[in-house]
Amino acid sequence: MKKQNIILFFSMLLMLSCQQSVEYYIPEIKNLNLELTSSNNLPVSNYIVKLYSQYNPDVVLDNNVSNLDGKVTFGSLAPTSYLVKIFANSGSEEIESVPITVEGADTEINMPVSLDMSISLYDFTVYVNEEESGRVMKNRKVIVSTDKDVTNIVAEGITDSEGKITFQQVKDYTYYINVYGEEGVSIAKQLSFGVGRNSTSYSVTISLPRRILHNADFVITGLMVNLKGYDCKDVGFVSWDITYPGEFEYVQFMALKDIDFRATSYCMVTSWNGTPTPMGWVEGKNGNRTTYQINIDEGTVKKGDFFIVGGRSRLLCGINEDYISPSISADKWIVTKNFYSAAGDDGNGAPAGGYGILDGGGEADGVAVFRGTTIDENTVPMDAVFFGANLSSTHYYQIPDNDLYSRINAETNEEQPYFGMGSNTTTMGKSLGDVGDFYLLGGKVSPEAWIIPRTPDQHVRLNWKEVTPTLDMIETGPNVTIFTDDE
């Protein structure tokens, strides 16, 4: 009985002790904010600051670099005595050592540190030119910032007639130099550059990509050449219990200005080559389907927008078995043509039947666009591209001066007005086969020039058995052509 009473007694003591609150000691955590200034009352930026315990000065507790305003923050410090050492940005030369005590009163401790040293300010000149040619780039906006995202801008200005701008009273720091086009919209180049300590003045040259001038109101940006399944069927054809809405092939363009095609007409001509003839882009007027013309004389487009010319279906990637691909609205697919059973416009091209107007197999084929609808074998297109693997001879197709072709050979200075002549041999890639790929031509273009040329062999698969096709895949996805209005 006595033993049971003792056990009961200790059990009650244990229960009572569990009901008592237990207090733990939580150390106070402080933030130490230092502001470094020089003897000539300027912020000491871009210097290394190391933190030590005064009780163990050989061990670095933390280190940081002073920002543009000479400020450094050390966080999560327990109240005690510390030693702060300031070094040049190489980290080898100690400038000064300052003892600091963190008290327990405040969570934020702000402490000015005056250093026995003089700070210089510098002149910084940025030169902007064009790659390869070295042509100076005047009227280009230059922004100097301390970060890649250009959120902390230090200075900005416009290059002069010599393609330069000089910033004065620049602090010692590593900056990001950003160059923009004439309207200051999209970034053209970014460079990290250090200013300070090694000289009294600094300069840097930034070379922007070479601009390739063109003479086009709109340019060719994509080709739906070989769909998965049928490329071209007449309206009313039935398969898999689906009634076909017409031809599926199309060409995608990008407008480089606002255009009302009802007031200003153009035409598109495609070529399906056998043996090239001197008639070039109007060979189809001989009653064959080597070339096929579609007049663009309806609809409107806005500068920078994509638009489409093609068959009557207005489908993104046609019909494959029982799958009907997404429709493209009429404000984007502005012109449709019955190229299955109707001749080309202005008598240029016989009906294509089930073959369609785009081939891309065997001999290289092409697409060209012209101002106006009346053309002959001597008319120079405003834009043209060719696709397919083989190039056996000169094709007699007039070519424009653009990012892919040149009417004058840059090396020999000789005339080369036709595709396949001299250096005019670029195609956008081989035949893609029956896989449903769309040619993405890519590049970056302004109303006056190609900033980045179009690139061959870029495709996006629009085969519904492998992906879920959407219009964004040819307008906003990777490798699409980019419009800029400020280059």
Side-chain angles (χ1 to χ4, degrees), residues 32 140 337 428 447:
L32 174 61
R140 291 297 187 266
K337 178 69 177 179
M428 302 315 294

Side-chain angles (χ1 to χ4, degrees), residues 111-342:
M111 186 169 296
V113 177
S114 180
L115 303 178
D116 187 17
M117 58 181 292
S118 180
I119 291 295
S120 299
L121 299 176
Y122 307 92
D123 287 345
F124 179 42
T125 301
V126 178
Y127 297 89
V128 183
N129 64 15
E130 183 180 72
E131 289 176 354
E132 299 182 26
S133 70
R135 180 173 67 93
V136 300
M137 305 294 283
K138 61 183 180 179
N139 297 325
R140 291 297 187 266
K141 187 175 184 178
V142 178
I143 294 180
V144 180
S145 63
T146 61
D147 62 308
K148 289 183 178 181
D149 297 328
V150 199
T151 57
N152 185 22
I153 297 175
V154 175
E156 59 183 283
I158 305 296
T159 56
D160 61 17
S161 60
E162 298 179 350
K164 72 174 183 178
I165 181 171
T166 298
F167 301 101
Q168 298 178 328
Q169 304 290 294
V170 177
K171 298 176 185 177
D172 175 359
Y173 210 69
T174 299
Y175 299 98
Y176 287 92
I177 316 304
N178 305 274
V179 180
Y180 294 77
E182 293 181 354
E183 295 183 12
V185 178
S186 64
I187 191 167
K189 194 79 170 183
Q190 185 179 80
L191 180 72
S192 176
F193 189 82
V195 171
R197 307 189 201 179
N198 298 321
S199 177
T200 57
S201 63
Y202 292 82
S203 65
V204 63
T205 298
I206 296 181
S207 296
L208 303 183
R210 182 171 67 93
R211 291 160 36 104
I212 304 172
L213 298 178
H214 63 69
N215 182 33
D217 299 332
F218 55 90
V219 292
I220 304 163
T221 57
L223 308 166
M224 178 46 85
V225 173
N226 201 335
L227 300 93
K228 180 66 177 175
Y230 294 118
D231 296 349
C232 181
K233 286 294 180 183
D234 197 5
V235 169
F237 175 81
V238 178
S239 178
W240 291 83
D241 295 326
I242 296 171
T243 301
Y244 280 44
E247 308 76 24
F248 302 127
E249 293 174 329
Y250 61 87
V251 179
Q252 180 199 57
F253 301 96
M254 175 178 282
L256 305 182
K257 66 177 186 178
D258 295 344
I259 306 174
D260 184 344
F261 293 108
R262 299 164 300 184
T264 306
S265 60
Y266 301 78
C267 68
M268 176 186 84
V269 180
T270 64
S271 69
W272 182 313
N273 289 307
T275 301
T277 78
M279 290 295 288
W281 294 109
V282 292
E283 170 62 25
K285 290 189 176 182
N286 287 328
N288 59 54
R289 59 182 179 83
T290 300
T291 61
Y292 194 93
Q293 179 172 333
I294 300 177
N295 290 344
I296 308 173
D297 52 10
E298 55 184 294
T300 61
V301 293
K302 293 292 186 182
K303 180 169 61 175
D305 285 351
F306 290 105
F307 67 94
I308 289 172
V309 173
R312 290 172 291 174
S313 69
R314 288 197 174 106
L315 295 179
L316 176 64
C317 49
I319 294 173
N320 183 12
E321 298 178 0
D322 59 348
Y323 172 78
I324 301 176
S325 66
S327 295
I328 298 176
S329 62
D331 61 341
K332 282 187 176 292
W333 195 312
I334 62 170
V335 173
T336 63
K337 178 69 177 179
N338 172 16
F339 47 76
Y340 182 91
S341 58

